[in-house]
Amino acid sequence: EEGERSRLLESCREKLDPRDRLLLKLRFEDEQPVRAIAELMGYRTVFHAYRRLEAVLAALRGCLRQRGVTGRG
């Protein structure tokens, strides 16, 4: 089940804009602070970076819901 969820997540991630995939990579794989990401990616403020990150995560959750993945359990 976990492997299937991972495949579905990757499928949803691949549908994102490359810039949004970079945002996710920097935050969750490279564990960069949002302040550093905002500067690196040219967001006007840290708030803009947080807002974009939340929008991307919401898009991923929506994509997963459409594929039948709900909750964490």
Side-chain angles (χ1 to χ4, degrees), residues 25-69:
K25 180 188 180 312
L26 290 171
R27 183 66 181 127
F28 297 108
E29 292 176 32
D30 298 348
E31 299 180 355
Q32 292 295 312
V34 176
R35 181 171 302 284
I37 294 169
E39 185 176 320
L40 179 69
M41 294 187 70
Y43 288 100
R44 287 184 5 186
T45 68
V46 174
F47 173 76
H48 287 92
Y50 271 114
R51 193 164 68 184
R52 185 65 200 155
L53 182 59
E54 287 301 318
V56 171
L57 292 173
L60 284 176
R61 284 190 296 272
C63 179
L64 289 170
R65 269 193 303 276
Q66 288 178 343
R67 288 165 171 72
V69 177

Side-chain angles (χ1 to χ4, degrees), residues 9-33:
L9 177 59
E10 183 58 26
S11 172
C12 289
R13 196 186 69 79
E14 287 174 356
K15 295 180 184 305
L16 295 173
D17 182 89
R19 186 170 166 82
D20 291 337
R21 288 195 306 267
L22 176 60
L23 175 63
L24 292 174
K25 180 188 180 312
L26 290 171
R27 183 66 181 127
F28 297 108
E29 292 176 32
D30 298 348
E31 299 180 355
Q32 292 295 312

